[in-house]
Amino acid sequence: MTLNTPQRYAVIGNPIEHSRSPAIHAAFARQCGIELQYDRLLAPLDGFADTVETFFANGGRGLNVTVPFKEQAFQLARDHLSDRARIAGAVNTLWHEDGKVHGCNTDGVGLLNDLRRLGHDPAGRRVLLVGAGGAARGVVLPLLAAGCVELRVVNRSSERAVRLHHDVVEQLPQHGRHLSSGSLDEAGSDWDIVINATSSSLVGDAPALPGEIYATGALAYDMVYGTEPTPFMLKARAQGAAACADGLGMLVGQAAASFEIWHGVLPDAVPVLAQLRADLEAG
Ligand code: NDP
């Protein structure tokens, strides 16, 4: 690599052509005056590790990882993981340090920053997390660390929520008294923030939650995003949530946190989010 070659980054997945990460990172780079190249990298379904190895061997500096490779990225970086990644069991950010692959999961910090932007800091709040897949796993520890007084994880398959609960308590027992788990119909009531971390909205559905879950002034947040309110957001409005938001801000926030890991500077997500929203609405 010559001195004039821009640092190379990429988002790796399969499929990958839909990814908005190159546009987001290009905008951050302009904002911070950093020259970089950020591509989409399609890995064969049976060739993730080889593709990553080749990327770093050819001078690549960092990778964002998306579906379906986050668990494989976790395995690849298993000796050099952040706490967030360890609890999540999934990695969305890879980089090379001292010749070794390191991994982190920035989904949680992306969510937290977006909740704060929306005026719903989880500190001191009661938070209901719906879902127990990779996305839910990625946000549990950051939500607890942010100081929510109660975090309840509920899932369609309750045993998956219970497993996530136990994994957190096993690794970080100090968080145990703030955490509980159960099935969707054990969601309880009076939640200040309800986060939909399921993929239900992608299939035009909303999780089958009881009707009285929202506290006065509550926020309903769907990790899925789009041009229209999601089924979860529509149902939340009808059930009394005071405010609703989709996950576009989380997407930009997780990218900002990856950018900070790689470049040591945290970009301002707000103008990039506004641009992305405008692009999305323009089709
Ligand atoms: P997984 O496949 O790992 O998990 C899917 C989860 O959704 C499970 O909890 C599953 O429940 C639940 N689920 C699916 N359909 C329904 C339904 N109809 N009703 C109730 N629950 C349902 O996916 P991920 O956790 O990786 O991702 C979840 C969503 O979060 C995705 O839509 C993804 O796009 C989004 N996401 C957004 C991000 C952002 O930056 N905005 C970042 C990461 C993810 P069960 O266990 O019972 O099957």
Side-chain angles (χ1 to χ4, degrees), residues 132-135 155-157 160 197-199 202 205 223-224 247 250-251:
N155 194 45
R156 185 173 58 180
S157 334
R160 211 170 166 194
T198 79
S199 48
L202 294 180
D205 200 3
M223 287 193 188
V224 171
M250 175 177 171
L251 178 77

Side-chain angles (χ1 to χ4, degrees), residues 75-97:
Q75 287 303 329
L76 212 59
R78 63 187 173 278
D79 295 329
H80 303 280
L81 292 167
S82 64
D83 277 351
R84 292 181 207 149
R86 202 166 288 117
I87 290 290
V91 154
N92 75 342
T93 307
L94 291 171
W95 67 101
H96 239 207
E97 211 175 297

Side-chain angles (χ1 to χ4, degrees), residues 18-81:
H18 65 284
S19 173
R20 296 179 184 273
S21 293
I24 297 172
H25 280 269
F28 288 158
R30 277 194 300 278
Q31 192 190 95
C32 299
I34 292 172
E35 209 182 321
L36 59 78
Q37 180 183 332
Y38 189 111
D39 301 312
R40 292 183 181 88
L41 190 55
L42 178 70
L45 289 174
D46 60 354
F48 173 73
D50 287 347
T51 310
V52 170
E53 194 182 320
T54 304
F55 177 81
F56 284 124
N58 289 336
R61 304 292 281 268
L63 287 170
N64 282 129
V65 182
T66 187
V67 176
F69 297 128
K70 288 185 183 181
E71 286 80 10
Q72 288 186 55
F74 174 86
Q75 287 303 329
L76 212 59
R78 63 187 173 278
D79 295 329
H80 303 280
L81 292 167

